[in-house]
Amino acid sequence: PIEPAMERLRALHEAHGHDDTMASVTDEAFEQQREIAAVTASHQGVFDLDLQTGLLSLSSEAAAMFGLPKGAVELGREAWLSRIHKDDRAIYEQALETYRQDPGLSFRIEFRATAPGERTAWYELRATMTGQATKAERCLGLVADVTARKNADAAVHDVEQADALTGLGNRAALLAQLEWMGGSLGGSALAVFDLDRFKSVNDTGGHAAGDEMLRRVAGALRRHARSRDSAARLGGDEFALLLEHCSLADAGRLAQTVADDLGRIILDWQGHRFQIGASIGVAPLHADAADLACVLAAADAACYESKHERQIGRAHV
Protein backbone atom coordinates (compact mmCIF):
# COMPACT_ATOMS: atom_id res chain seq x y z
CA PRO A 1 0.00 0.00 0.00
CA ILE A 2 2.98 2.30 0.48
CA GLU A 3 4.41 2.08 -3.04
CA PRO A 4 1.59 3.87 -5.00
CA ALA A 5 1.73 6.79 -2.60
CA MET A 6 5.50 6.94 -2.94
CA GLU A 7 5.21 7.01 -6.74
CA ARG A 8 2.68 9.86 -6.62
CA LEU A 9 4.98 11.84 -4.35
CA ARG A 10 7.91 11.31 -6.69
CA ALA A 11 5.85 12.61 -9.63
CA LEU A 12 4.64 15.62 -7.63
CA HIS A 13 8.20 16.36 -6.53
CA GLU A 14 9.49 16.30 -10.12
CA ALA A 15 6.64 18.50 -11.41
CA HIS A 16 7.12 21.20 -8.78
CA GLY A 17 10.83 20.96 -8.11
CA HIS A 18 11.30 24.58 -9.19
CA ASP A 19 8.75 25.83 -6.66
CA ASP A 20 10.54 26.28 -3.33
CA THR A 21 7.34 26.20 -1.26
CA MET A 22 5.89 23.17 -3.03
CA ALA A 23 9.27 21.43 -2.96
CA SER A 24 9.43 21.93 0.79
CA VAL A 25 5.96 20.48 1.29
CA THR A 26 6.55 17.49 -0.97
CA ASP A 27 9.96 16.83 0.58
CA GLU A 28 8.33 16.63 4.02
CA ALA A 29 5.54 14.36 2.78
CA PHE A 30 8.04 12.19 0.93
CA GLU A 31 10.09 11.79 4.11
CA GLN A 32 6.98 10.88 6.11
CA GLN A 33 6.02 8.20 3.61
CA ARG A 34 9.56 6.85 3.66
CA GLU A 35 9.44 6.61 7.47
CA ILE A 36 6.11 4.76 7.28
CA ALA A 37 7.56 2.37 4.73
CA ALA A 38 10.56 1.75 6.99
CA VAL A 39 8.32 0.92 9.94
CA THR A 40 6.26 -1.46 7.82
CA ALA A 41 9.34 -3.20 6.45
CA SER A 42 10.73 -3.70 9.97
CA HIS A 43 7.57 -5.56 11.07
CA GLN A 44 6.86 -3.04 13.80
CA GLY A 45 3.72 -1.07 14.56
CA VAL A 46 3.01 2.34 16.04
CA PHE A 47 1.94 2.40 19.70
CA ASP A 48 0.40 5.70 20.86
CA LEU A 49 -1.01 5.75 24.41
CA ASP A 50 -2.78 8.76 25.90
CA LEU A 51 -1.71 8.49 29.54
CA GLN A 52 -4.46 10.83 30.72
CA THR A 53 -7.44 9.07 29.14
CA GLY A 54 -5.93 5.58 28.81
CA LEU A 55 -6.90 5.47 25.12
CA LEU A 56 -4.45 3.43 23.01
CA SER A 57 -4.09 4.01 19.27
CA LEU A 58 -2.48 1.25 17.24
CA SER A 59 -1.42 1.45 13.61
CA SER A 60 -2.74 -1.18 11.23
CA GLU A 61 0.57 -3.07 11.52
CA ALA A 62 0.37 -3.09 15.33
CA ALA A 63 -3.30 -4.09 15.28
CA ALA A 64 -2.48 -7.07 13.04
CA MET A 65 0.21 -8.22 15.49
CA PHE A 66 -2.39 -8.44 18.24
CA GLY A 67 -5.02 -10.15 16.09
CA LEU A 68 -7.30 -7.09 16.07
CA PRO A 69 -9.62 -6.10 13.19
CA LYS A 70 -7.90 -4.96 10.01
CA GLY A 71 -6.75 -1.35 9.97
CA ALA A 72 -5.75 1.11 12.68
CA VAL A 73 -7.69 0.71 15.92
CA GLU A 74 -8.26 2.45 19.24
CA LEU A 75 -8.70 0.59 22.53
CA GLY A 76 -9.84 1.81 25.92
CA ARG A 77 -7.70 1.08 28.97
CA GLU A 78 -9.63 -1.98 30.19
CA ALA A 79 -9.96 -3.46 26.70
CA TRP A 80 -6.21 -3.18 26.19
CA LEU A 81 -5.23 -4.50 29.64
CA SER A 82 -7.51 -7.51 29.15
CA ARG A 83 -5.31 -8.54 26.21
CA ILE A 84 -2.08 -8.43 28.27
CA HIS A 85 -1.18 -11.68 30.05
CA LYS A 86 -2.46 -11.59 33.63
CA ASP A 87 1.04 -12.23 35.02
CA ASP A 88 2.46 -9.23 33.12
CA ARG A 89 -0.24 -6.59 33.71
CA ALA A 90 1.17 -5.35 37.00
CA ILE A 91 4.69 -5.14 35.54
CA TYR A 92 3.40 -3.25 32.48
CA GLU A 93 1.39 -0.75 34.53
CA GLN A 94 4.17 -0.24 37.07
CA ALA A 95 6.67 0.46 34.26
CA LEU A 96 4.43 3.07 32.64
CA GLU A 97 3.72 4.80 35.94
CA THR A 98 7.41 4.86 36.84
CA TYR A 99 8.60 6.14 33.46
CA ARG A 100 5.77 8.67 33.29
CA GLN A 101 7.47 10.68 36.00
CA ASP A 102 10.27 11.54 33.57
CA PRO A 103 8.99 13.18 30.32
CA GLY A 104 11.43 12.71 27.46
CA LEU A 105 12.65 9.37 28.79
CA SER A 106 13.09 6.55 26.28
CA PHE A 107 12.62 3.00 27.54
CA ARG A 108 12.03 -0.63 26.54
CA ILE A 109 9.75 -3.21 28.13
CA GLU A 110 8.63 -6.73 27.19
CA PHE A 111 5.28 -8.36 27.96
CA ARG A 112 3.00 -11.15 26.78
CA ALA A 113 -0.34 -10.46 25.13
CA THR A 114 -3.01 -12.03 22.96
CA ALA A 115 -1.87 -12.66 19.38
CA PRO A 116 -3.70 -13.81 16.20
CA GLY A 117 -5.47 -17.12 16.67
CA GLU A 118 -5.97 -16.42 20.41
CA ARG A 119 -2.43 -17.61 21.13
CA THR A 120 -0.08 -15.76 23.49
CA ALA A 121 3.01 -14.03 22.13
CA TRP A 122 5.86 -11.90 23.47
CA TYR A 123 6.02 -8.22 22.49
CA GLU A 124 8.67 -5.55 22.87
CA LEU A 125 7.72 -1.90 23.26
CA ARG A 126 10.35 0.77 22.61
CA ALA A 127 8.85 4.14 23.42
CA THR A 128 9.37 7.67 24.71
CA MET A 129 7.36 9.53 27.32
CA THR A 130 6.27 12.85 25.83
CA GLY A 131 4.73 16.03 27.23
CA GLN A 132 5.64 19.38 28.71
CA ALA A 133 4.25 18.81 32.20
CA THR A 134 6.05 17.28 35.16
CA LYS A 135 4.33 14.01 34.26
CA ALA A 136 4.30 12.71 30.69
CA GLU A 137 1.02 12.96 28.79
CA ARG A 138 1.64 10.40 26.05
CA CYS A 139 3.67 7.26 25.48
CA LEU A 140 4.67 7.04 21.83
CA GLY A 141 6.75 4.28 20.30
CA LEU A 142 7.02 1.11 18.26
CA VAL A 143 5.87 -2.37 19.20
CA ALA A 144 7.19 -5.64 17.73
CA ASP A 145 6.49 -9.36 18.10
CA VAL A 146 9.65 -10.86 19.67
CA THR A 147 8.32 -14.37 20.37
CA ALA A 148 10.92 -16.08 18.17
CA ARG A 149 13.78 -14.32 19.99
CA LYS A 150 12.32 -15.06 23.41
CA ASN A 151 11.95 -18.75 22.55
CA ALA A 152 15.54 -18.88 21.33
CA ASP A 153 16.74 -17.10 24.48
CA ALA A 154 14.73 -19.50 26.64
CA ALA A 155 16.40 -22.51 25.01
CA VAL A 156 19.86 -21.08 25.78
CA HIS A 157 18.69 -20.05 29.26
CA ASP A 158 17.51 -23.59 30.01
CA VAL A 159 20.93 -24.98 29.14
CA GLU A 160 22.94 -22.33 30.96
CA GLN A 161 20.79 -22.09 34.07
CA ALA A 162 19.94 -25.72 34.76
CA ASP A 163 21.82 -28.17 36.95
CA ALA A 164 22.62 -31.15 34.72
CA LEU A 165 22.52 -33.72 37.54
CA THR A 166 19.29 -32.79 39.34
CA GLY A 167 17.36 -30.80 36.74
CA LEU A 168 16.88 -27.97 39.24
CA GLY A 169 17.92 -24.41 38.47
CA ASN A 170 21.51 -23.49 39.30
CA ARG A 171 22.94 -20.49 41.18
CA ALA A 172 22.73 -18.29 38.08
CA ALA A 173 19.06 -19.21 37.65
CA LEU A 174 18.31 -18.28 41.26
CA LEU A 175 20.03 -14.90 40.97
CA ALA A 176 18.20 -14.27 37.69
CA GLN A 177 14.89 -15.00 39.43
CA LEU A 178 15.75 -12.59 42.24
CA GLU A 179 16.67 -9.95 39.66
CA TRP A 180 13.41 -10.50 37.76
CA MET A 181 11.33 -10.14 40.94
CA GLY A 182 12.87 -6.70 41.47
CA GLY A 183 10.55 -4.46 43.50
CA SER A 184 8.28 -7.36 44.45
CA LEU A 185 10.97 -9.00 46.60
CA GLY A 186 9.43 -7.77 49.84
CA GLY A 187 7.51 -10.38 51.81
CA SER A 188 9.47 -13.31 50.42
CA ALA A 189 12.33 -15.39 51.84
CA LEU A 190 15.27 -17.53 50.79
CA ALA A 191 16.06 -20.85 52.51
CA VAL A 192 19.46 -22.49 51.99
CA PHE A 193 20.16 -26.17 52.80
CA ASP A 194 23.67 -27.53 53.33
CA LEU A 195 23.77 -31.33 53.51
CA ASP A 196 25.42 -32.98 56.50
CA ARG A 197 27.38 -36.22 56.29
CA PHE A 198 27.31 -36.04 52.50
CA LYS A 199 31.09 -36.39 52.25
CA SER A 200 30.86 -39.89 53.73
CA VAL A 201 28.48 -40.88 50.94
CA ASN A 202 31.03 -39.87 48.31
CA ASP A 203 34.01 -41.30 50.22
CA THR A 204 32.42 -44.68 50.92
CA GLY A 205 29.97 -45.24 48.09
CA GLY A 206 31.76 -43.28 45.37
CA HIS A 207 30.48 -40.44 43.21
CA ALA A 208 27.71 -42.58 41.75
CA ALA A 209 26.20 -42.96 45.23
CA GLY A 210 26.70 -39.24 45.87
CA ASP A 211 24.92 -38.36 42.63
CA GLU A 212 21.97 -40.59 43.53
CA MET A 213 21.70 -38.95 46.95
CA LEU A 214 21.72 -35.48 45.35
CA ARG A 215 18.94 -36.51 42.98
CA ARG A 216 16.84 -37.71 45.94
CA VAL A 217 17.44 -34.42 47.74
CA ALA A 218 16.28 -32.54 44.63
CA GLY A 219 13.15 -34.70 44.57
CA ALA A 220 12.38 -33.77 48.17
CA LEU A 221 12.72 -30.05 47.40
CA ARG A 222 10.35 -30.40 44.46
CA ARG A 223 7.76 -32.12 46.64
CA HIS A 224 7.75 -29.33 49.22
CA ALA A 225 8.07 -26.34 46.85
CA ARG A 226 4.79 -24.56 46.24
CA SER A 227 3.75 -23.72 42.68
CA ARG A 228 5.20 -20.18 42.92
CA ASP A 229 8.48 -21.23 44.60
CA SER A 230 11.83 -21.89 42.89
CA ALA A 231 14.19 -24.73 43.88
CA ALA A 232 17.87 -24.63 42.96
CA ARG A 233 21.13 -26.49 43.48
CA LEU A 234 23.72 -23.86 44.33
CA GLY A 235 26.67 -26.19 43.87
CA GLY A 236 28.17 -29.25 45.57
CA ASP A 237 25.81 -30.32 48.35
CA GLU A 238 24.10 -26.92 48.80
CA PHE A 239 20.50 -26.29 47.76
CA ALA A 240 18.02 -23.42 48.05
CA LEU A 241 14.32 -22.64 47.97
CA LEU A 242 13.11 -19.17 46.93
CA LEU A 243 9.81 -18.78 48.78
CA GLU A 244 7.68 -16.05 47.20
CA HIS A 245 5.09 -14.22 49.32
CA CYS A 246 6.14 -16.12 52.42
CA SER A 247 6.73 -14.60 55.86
CA LEU A 248 9.98 -15.28 57.65
CA ALA A 249 8.17 -17.40 60.26
CA ASP A 250 6.40 -19.49 57.61
CA ALA A 251 9.65 -19.83 55.67
CA GLY A 252 11.38 -21.14 58.80
CA ARG A 253 8.66 -23.72 59.37
CA LEU A 254 8.70 -24.87 55.76
CA ALA A 255 12.51 -25.09 55.78
CA GLN A 256 12.37 -27.21 58.93
CA THR A 257 9.83 -29.53 57.28
CA VAL A 258 12.14 -29.94 54.29
CA ALA A 259 15.13 -30.60 56.56
CA ASP A 260 13.16 -33.23 58.47
CA ASP A 261 12.27 -34.92 55.19
CA LEU A 262 15.90 -34.87 54.05
CA GLY A 263 16.90 -36.52 57.32
CA ARG A 264 14.59 -39.43 56.50
CA ILE A 265 16.26 -40.20 53.18
CA ILE A 266 18.03 -43.57 53.36
CA LEU A 267 20.20 -44.78 50.49
CA ASP A 268 21.12 -48.47 50.35
CA TRP A 269 24.12 -48.72 48.04
CA GLN A 270 26.31 -51.77 47.44
CA GLY A 271 26.02 -53.06 50.97
CA HIS A 272 26.21 -49.66 52.60
CA ARG A 273 23.39 -47.62 54.13
CA PHE A 274 23.64 -43.83 54.02
CA GLN A 275 21.53 -41.26 55.84
CA ILE A 276 22.07 -37.51 55.74
CA GLY A 277 20.80 -34.40 57.49
CA ALA A 278 20.75 -30.71 56.62
CA SER A 279 21.78 -27.43 58.17
CA ILE A 280 19.44 -24.64 57.10
CA GLY A 281 19.60 -20.87 56.94
CA VAL A 282 16.74 -18.51 56.13
CA ALA A 283 17.05 -14.88 55.00
CA PRO A 284 14.21 -12.38 54.39
CA LEU A 285 14.01 -10.54 51.08
CA HIS A 286 13.55 -6.78 50.93
CA ALA A 287 12.27 -4.72 48.01
CA ASP A 288 15.12 -2.23 48.47
CA ALA A 289 17.93 -4.81 48.49
CA ALA A 290 20.96 -3.01 47.06
CA ASP A 291 22.75 -6.16 45.98
CA LEU A 292 20.66 -9.27 45.40
CA ALA A 293 23.73 -11.48 45.71
CA CYS A 294 23.97 -10.28 49.33
CA VAL A 295 20.64 -11.95 50.07
CA LEU A 296 22.10 -15.27 49.06
CA ALA A 297 25.23 -14.53 51.10
CA ALA A 298 23.08 -13.79 54.19
CA ALA A 299 21.27 -17.12 53.87
CA ASP A 300 24.60 -18.87 53.34
CA ALA A 301 25.97 -17.24 56.50
CA ALA A 302 22.96 -18.34 58.55
CA CYS A 303 23.36 -21.86 57.18
CA TYR A 304 27.05 -21.90 58.09
CA GLU A 305 26.23 -20.77 61.62
CA SER A 306 23.72 -23.59 61.93
CA LYS A 307 26.30 -26.13 60.80
CA HIS A 308 29.01 -24.63 62.97
CA GLU A 309 26.89 -24.96 66.10
CA ARG A 310 26.00 -28.53 65.14
CA GLN A 311 22.30 -27.79 65.43
CA ILE A 312 21.26 -30.07 62.62
CA GLY A 313 17.82 -29.32 61.23
CA ARG A 314 17.34 -26.06 63.09
CA ALA A 315 16.76 -22.89 61.05
CA HIS A 316 18.91 -19.82 61.72
CA VAL A 317 17.65 -16.39 60.64
Side-chain angles (χ1 to χ4, degrees):
I2 298 298
E3 286 307 314
M6 296 284 282
E7 291 298 332
R8 287 194 297 273
L9 283 169
R10 290 191 183 97
L12 188 62
H13 187 273
E14 291 174 0
H16 297 276
H18 61 282
D19 186 334
D20 290 342
T21 301
M22 181 60 72
S24 176
V25 172
T26 54
D27 280 346
E28 181 180 352
F30 186 85
E31 185 62 27
Q32 290 175 348
Q33 290 294 338
R34 188 165 66 177
E35 291 174 358
I36 293 173
V39 170
T40 302
S42 66
H43 303 290
Q44 299 180 91
V46 176
F47 180 102
D48 185 2
L49 176 63
D50 187 322
L51 295 168
Q52 295 177 313
T53 65
L55 186 66
L56 173 64
S57 299
L58 297 172
S59 67
S60 56
E61 295 81 14
M65 288 181 202
F66 294 107
L68 294 168
K70 188 176 182 180
V73 299
E74 291 186 337
L75 295 173
R77 181 178 181 276
E78 294 304 320
W80 166 240
L81 287 179
S82 69
R83 303 188 67 83
I84 297 178
H85 193 284
K86 60 183 180 64
D87 292 340
D88 293 346
R89 288 172 196 160
I91 297 172
Y92 167 84
E93 290 191 287
Q94 180 183 358
L96 290 187
E97 184 57 33
T98 300
Y99 298 140
R100 188 182 181 186
Q101 310 305 317
D102 194 356
L105 176 71
S106 295
F107 65 94
R108 180 184 73 87
I109 59 173
E110 294 178 348
F111 56 89
R112 289 164 292 179
T114 303
E118 295 304 313
R119 64 185 178 87
T120 298
W122 276 99
Y123 296 92
E124 177 188 72
L125 172 64
R126 292 178 179 267
T128 300
M129 291 295 183
T130 64
Q132 301 301 318
T134 55
K135 293 180 69 173
E137 299 167 354
R138 304 188 77 83
C139 173
L140 180 61
L142 297 174
V143 64
D145 186 330
V146 294
T147 305
R149 174 175 62 77
K150 292 292 287 188
N151 288 341
D153 289 347
V156 174
H157 175 276
D158 289 343
V159 173
E160 294 180 346
Q161 298 193 356
D163 177 59
L165 177 63
T166 64
L168 299 180
N170 58 19
R171 182 180 289 261
L174 183 65
L175 290 176
Q177 178 68 12
L178 288 168
E179 186 72 39
W180 180 83
M181 289 172 65
S184 63
L185 280 170
S188 299
L190 182 67
V192 171
F193 304 83
D194 193 305
L195 304 186
D196 296 302
R197 301 185 297 277
F198 178 73
K199 186 175 184 298
S200 66
V201 180
N202 267 339
D203 291 345
T204 305
H207 289 296
D211 289 350
E212 178 58 26
M213 182 64 81
L214 293 174
R215 283 191 284 265
R216 294 192 184 189
V217 170
L221 263 66
R222 287 193 183 94
R223 287 194 299 273
H224 290 286
R226 303 165 302 170
S227 59
R228 59 179 178 270
D229 297 336
S230 300
R233 181 187 176 202
L234 303 180
D237 60 353
E238 190 176 33
F239 292 79
L241 271 178
L242 175 56
L243 305 168
E244 293 192 37
H245 308 299
C246 186
S247 69
L248 191 58
D250 288 342
R253 283 190 288 270
L254 179 57
Q256 186 64 63
T257 300
V258 174
D260 291 343
D261 196 12
L262 295 180
R264 288 189 289 268
I265 295 177
I266 296 176
L267 175 64
D268 290 315
W269 190 270
Q270 298 178 352
H272 298 281
R273 171 165 287 201
F274 301 104
Q275 189 170 11
I276 60 170
S279 300
I280 52 182
V282 181
L285 304 182
H286 301 288
D288 58 350
D291 184 353
L292 297 177
C294 289
V295 176
L296 184 55
D300 278 336
C303 189
Y304 176 80
E305 182 181 348
S306 175
K307 183 177 287 289
H308 180 68
E309 295 180 0
R310 301 180 183 278
Q311 295 176 330
I312 306 304
R314 178 182 175 186
H316 278 243
V317 177

